[in-house]
Amino acid sequence: MSQIACQFPDPQAVIAAYHNLNLVGGARVPTAAGLDVLNPATGALLGRAAASGPVETDAAVQAAKAAGAAWAAIPARERGKRVAAAGRALLENFELVAQVLARETGKAIRTECRGEVKTAADILEFYGGLGSELKGETIPYSPRMLTMTTREPLGVVAAIVPWNVPLVLMMLKIAPALVAGNTVVVKASEDAPFATYLAAEIVMEHLPAGVLNVISGDGPNCGAALTAHPDVAKITFTGSEEVGEIVYKAGAERIVPVSLELGGKSPMIVCADAKLSKAVPGAISGMRFTRQGQSCTASSRIYVHESLYDAFLDALVADLNALKIGDPLDERTDIGTIINAKQAKVVSDYVAKAEATAGAKVVRCGQMPADAALSPDLFAMPTLLLDLPEDHPCLRDEIFGPVAAIQKWSDYEDVIAKANDSRYGLAASVWTEDLSTALDATSRLNAGYVQVNQNLTIQPNVSYGGFGRSGLGKEASLEAMLAHFTRSKTIVIAMD
Ligand code: NAD
């Protein structure tokens, strides 16, 4: 049992304990200023998270730097064992972490939060087994010269995470970084910091002080201070396209490697021979409707062959109507809230644009919760946009809400061209029972993660990352650890 988790009688005690503090150098370090964190389901103040600026950020980077040499000197497999043990500890305490996550994100405890914590633990366990895969190569340069490459850690890694799946996205960064011998400073999301702190503190029980540090604060004061810090050797960022650009420029100024996991507008192509029994639930899971559509991978452009369109739409509306929108902590709830008022306005503004478009239709599904204890502001109904012109902003931009456009198609070449006509390239899926169509589409779709007859979420051992303005580099998998959290050194030894 985690001693950290044992300190807390309930989720609210976790939130109170992390009032205005950072986790730096193995200690809880109070900060002078804090940021209000609201409960999205009620609108009430949930707690206050540290508002870190350059001074607090520097302290975290210095702690990570000081811990670096000793951590890198531990055999890689032993580092991995500690990370795996941290994963098991997180799993043992998943309920407490999930309850905190549901309170701060508004995501439903049953459909979203428990699964997220379990996946986060799984990522730690997966990378924990990869310590001895940090191999180099020998190169047959000359028989009298031993020529080889070795892999070294980069140093201090800055890991910046968003609010939508904060634990999974944090673990995809810290697990490979730590196993590869780096030390880490995580910048938690200011909207959802507390579960990140709790999960990180459970992990920190298995690590030497300073190897993992967590700070919170807003982007301009905390995130920017971290990306500009001269002792940060690598930046790994998940978030919006706009901030990704700022972060990339910050890395370029100091010539440090940057990995970016940004937004998406992922197409889902339903062919004439697709099975509706797969495609309709696939659209609901692909759009992440139970997460209020707040997913970078969301299948938000659904192209359905004209022969299936009406049946697909009827079945989709019926299934969405059956989902219960309500209190994230209620076990009967399928769909919780949107994260904050700013995001809710973004979503409603896009829907208003669709409503104002001649010929377009807007179909709202489900029912708003009637519970008087809940604030209605951040609940939203799953919304389908029909018959939009292809250049409509709702088909071009990431909305990051429960809004999917359903478009009718008749010509295969045309639908492939439309699917690829996007500045993003994160994910795509094709739904068909024909192997040739599936192979053709997967080879031609311009996305980093292409699936057939399913819309899986991120898996720890499967490379994940976008093309175009969806980002740079991969997360998950051995490939991500080697490519993004190590540097390769070439050594040539004369044997004469
Ligand atoms: P965001 O870009 O607003 O914020 C992400 C993080 O960056 C936060 O911690 C924020 O404080 C920090 N930040 C803000 N300004 C910064 C700056 N100037 N310098 C450094 N850090 C700064 O994103 P969000 O609203 O938290 O999350 C939603 C976005 O994340 C969506 O666009 C979504 O597509 C994207 N996302 C991508 C993936 C992926 O794997 N591709 C996964 C989840 C979310």
Side-chain angles (χ1 to χ4, degrees):
M1 189 66 185
S2 157
Q3 289 183 3
I4 295 295
C6 284
Q7 293 173 7
F8 300 118
D10 55 47
Q12 203 52 48
V14 175
I15 292 161
Y18 293 133
H19 182 97
N20 287 13
L21 61 78
N22 287 326
L23 302 173
V24 173
R28 294 180 182 172
V29 180
T31 56
L35 294 166
D36 287 351
V37 180
L38 304 182
N39 178 336
T42 62
L45 182 68
L46 186 66
R48 277 174 73 77
S52 308
V55 172
E56 293 82 3
T57 305
D58 178 60
V61 175
Q62 294 310 333
K65 188 180 174 190
W71 178 245
I74 294 175
R77 190 151 176 252
E78 175 58 29
R79 290 195 301 262
K81 284 181 183 173
R82 295 189 191 197
V83 169
R88 290 192 292 277
L90 182 59
L91 191 59
E92 282 168 17
N93 296 285
F94 81 91
E95 185 64 29
L96 179 66
V97 185
Q99 291 286 345
V100 176
L101 188 64
R103 282 163 174 78
E104 65 186 358
T105 60
K107 296 195 297 183
I109 183 76
R110 176 177 57 80
T111 56
E112 289 291 330
C113 294
R114 291 194 182 103
E116 174 170 352
V117 187
K118 288 179 183 176
T119 302
D122 194 28
I123 293 165
L124 291 164
E125 284 213 63
F126 167 72
Y127 278 108
L130 295 186
S132 52
E133 294 303 315
L134 291 154
K135 300 169 193 161
E137 294 175 326
T138 54
I139 298 152
Y141 174 54
S142 159
R144 301 306 305 157
M145 277 187 216
L146 175 58
T147 307
M148 60 187 178
T149 61
T150 57
R151 292 197 174 270
E152 300 180 341
L154 296 163
V156 177
V157 171
I160 301 177
V161 292
W163 43 261
N164 65 326
V165 210
L167 303 180
V168 164
L169 300 174
M170 170 171 71
M171 296 314 175
L172 285 173
K173 299 177 185 323
I174 69 174
L178 294 175
V179 173
N182 305 281
T183 55
V184 181
V185 177
V186 173
K187 172 16 211 122
S189 165
E190 58 272 44
D191 283 298
F194 300 119
T196 301
Y197 273 69
L198 175 58
E201 224 183 355
I202 291 171
V203 173
M204 284 162 61
E205 285 185 279
H206 298 266
L207 304 173
V211 167
L212 175 62
N213 307 273
V214 185
I215 56 177
S216 76
D218 64 18
N221 290 300
C222 179
L226 187 57
T227 56
H229 198 290
D231 290 321
V232 164
K234 156 87 192 182
I235 303 167
T236 168
F237 170 85
T238 301
S240 62
E241 188 185 351
E242 297 74 20
V243 178
E245 215 177 296
I246 296 170
V247 167
Y248 196 24
K249 284 178 184 152
E253 272 171 26
R254 295 190 300 106
I255 321 276
V256 295
V258 178
S259 306
L260 301 172
E261 293 289 346
L262 309 177
K265 193 76 193 173
S266 299
M268 165 172 175
I269 300 176
V270 181
C271 297
D273 65 340
K275 289 210 161 98
L276 286 184
S277 58
K278 292 182 192 170
V280 172
I284 293 174
S285 63
M287 238 326 281
R288 314 281 189 261
F289 275 115
T290 58
R291 200 189 298 159
Q292 282 288 12
Q294 298 169 125
S295 165
C296 50
T297 327
S299 308
S300 50
R301 290 186 292 147
I302 304 179
Y303 293 96
V304 185
H305 189 268
E306 59 183 359
S307 61
L308 284 183
Y309 184 89
D310 289 344
F312 177 91
L313 192 59
D314 288 350
L316 183 59
V317 170
D319 285 2
L320 288 173
N321 280 335
L323 295 178
K324 181 173 160 36
I325 307 170
D327 182 354
L329 302 178
D330 185 335
E331 296 291 340
R332 292 165 300 177
T333 294
D334 296 299
I335 305 178
T337 70
I338 289 176
I339 186 77
N340 58 30
K342 185 173 154 225
Q343 188 60 27
K345 179 162 175 5
V346 169
V347 174
S348 59
D349 284 354
Y350 272 109
V351 175
K353 276 184 201 163
E355 269 169 331
T357 302
K361 286 193 213 76
V362 174
V363 180
R364 291 188 173 80
C365 307
Q367 281 192 327
M368 290 290 272
D371 186 343
L374 301 175
S375 156
D377 297 352
L378 303 188
F379 289 93
M381 293 156 77
T383 302
L384 306 177
L385 310 180
L386 314 181
D387 303 329
L388 290 173
E390 271 300 312
D391 60 353
H392 195 280
C394 292
L395 277 171
R396 314 302 305 175
D397 303 341
E398 180 181 58
I399 298 176
F400 222 63
V403 182
I406 320 283
Q407 298 286 93
K408 201 180 282 184
W409 68 273
S410 54
D411 180 72
Y412 177 73
E413 290 301 321
D414 184 52
V415 79
I416 293 284
K418 282 178 175 154
N420 285 339
D421 182 16
S422 170
R423 64 183 186 274
Y424 298 113
L426 192 52
S429 64
V430 59
W431 300 71
T432 177
E433 295 299 305
D434 180 61
L435 184 59
S436 308
T437 307
L439 290 174
D440 183 74
T442 53
S443 70
R444 292 169 64 188
L445 285 167
N446 184 35
Y449 190 37
V450 184
Q451 302 186 58
V452 177
N453 293 337
Q454 61 179 14
N455 268 323
L456 286 180
T457 53
I458 298 176
Q459 306 296 310
N461 55 337
V462 179
S463 291
Y464 175 90
F467 298 162
R469 287 186 68 88
S470 288
L472 284 176
K474 298 289 180 193
E475 288 201 323
S477 77
L478 175 62
E479 176 193 358
M481 178 171 81
L482 298 180
H484 302 303
F485 295 105
T486 70
R487 61 186 186 186
S488 172
K489 179 179 279 178
T490 303
I491 300 170
V492 187
I493 302 172
M495 294 165 70
D496 293 321

